[in-house]
Amino acid sequence: NGVPLFNSLGVAPGQTLNIRDLAGGNSRLVPEVAHTVSVGLVMQPAPLPQFTFSLDHYRIKLDDVITTLPTDTVAQSCAAGNQSQCALITLPNGSSLPEVATLSVNAQSFVTSVVDAEVDMREPLAGGELTLRALVNYLLEYKLFITGRAPQDLRGDISSGLPALQANLSAIYRKGETSGLLSGTYIGGGDYDKAMDAEIENDRVPHVW
């Protein structure tokens, strides 16, 4: 309902309609544009020259991302009043099937912001040197916006590789030409697939070392 061409053909809401899907490029594409802000802080106290702490924050917003909208999204956007999407629905001369052009379009954007923290400490030990290092990545937000769809909050979506918290810990001991390394990686828990939370009975993934 609300798609002028479909309505003109007498298609009622809920009625099945066969269409032709035409995929292709688009000469009207414009460049994708990224807006990035980053702030960093590094501390190395004079009384503790072997100790270093850094904290970084960045936020990236990417607009006009090139994507291909599926047929149902084009129809739904047209029904919602988006005239640029209605222009992709036509009835070619001599054809009984409406045609929906699923072209490459600038119809997607996303925003993400992250905090990174790192602690590094070196200490002499038993004639050698011990280095302890911790690197933590905390995802504040990751949202995907697609024309004709509700915004998708992908923070903590494990299938997209976006756990909210990740960390790497390591200890390195060096003495002469000998060194030993002990390291561990932490991946926080989250949803296996946020988009299918209502369909998957147990959509949670536990954290893991």
Side-chain angles (χ1 to χ4, degrees), residues 2-207:
V3 181
L5 178 60
F6 293 171
N7 297 150
S8 70
L9 296 175
V11 180
Q15 182 177 343
T16 299
L17 173 68
N18 292 321
I19 63 168
R20 179 182 285 112
D21 187 331
L22 177 65
N26 185 355
S27 61
R28 298 181 180 179
L29 291 174
V30 299
E32 301 174 339
V33 179
H35 308 271
T36 304
V37 177
S38 59
V39 179
L41 171 69
V42 178
M43 297 178 61
Q44 193 170 29
L48 299 172
Q50 299 89 1
F51 177 83
T52 303
F53 171 76
S54 67
L55 186 67
D56 296 282
H57 168 67
Y58 65 82
R59 184 179 188 272
I60 301 173
K61 186 175 187 294
L62 190 60
D63 293 324
D64 294 327
V65 178
I66 298 173
T67 187
T68 301
L69 300 179
T71 303
D72 59 337
T73 299
V74 173
Q76 292 166 9
S77 298
C78 175
N82 188 326
Q83 294 305 310
S84 65
Q85 299 300 300
C86 290
L88 299 177
I89 304 174
T90 59
L91 184 64
N93 292 332
S95 175
S96 60
L97 294 179
E99 188 173 274
V100 177
T102 53
L103 309 177
S104 297
V105 291
N106 298 100
Q108 184 172 302
S109 64
F110 77 84
V111 58
T112 183
S113 61
V114 173
V115 171
D116 284 330
E118 182 177 359
V119 177
D120 189 280
M121 185 174 65
R122 293 177 171 85
E123 284 290 337
L125 179 66
E129 183 183 67
L130 175 66
T131 301
L132 301 177
R133 183 172 182 261
L135 179 63
V136 178
N137 174 274
Y138 186 69
L139 183 63
L140 297 173
E141 66 174 333
Y142 193 110
K143 292 183 179 179
L144 178 65
F145 304 89
I146 303 176
T147 299
R149 296 184 182 180
Q152 299 179 46
D153 180 9
L154 296 178
R155 178 180 181 270
D157 188 85
I158 305 302
S159 63
S160 301
L162 296 169
L165 180 63
Q166 300 181 80
N168 288 284
L169 307 177
S170 65
I172 304 175
Y173 180 73
R174 295 185 177 90
K175 185 175 182 180
E177 297 181 355
T178 303
S179 64
L181 167 65
L182 178 66
S183 65
T185 299
Y186 173 84
I187 302 175
D191 294 272
Y192 173 72
D193 188 339
K194 275 194 167 185
M196 298 188 66
D197 189 57
E199 286 79 26
I200 300 177
E201 182 176 350
N202 180 10
D203 199 28
R204 293 293 298 174
V205 176
H207 69 269

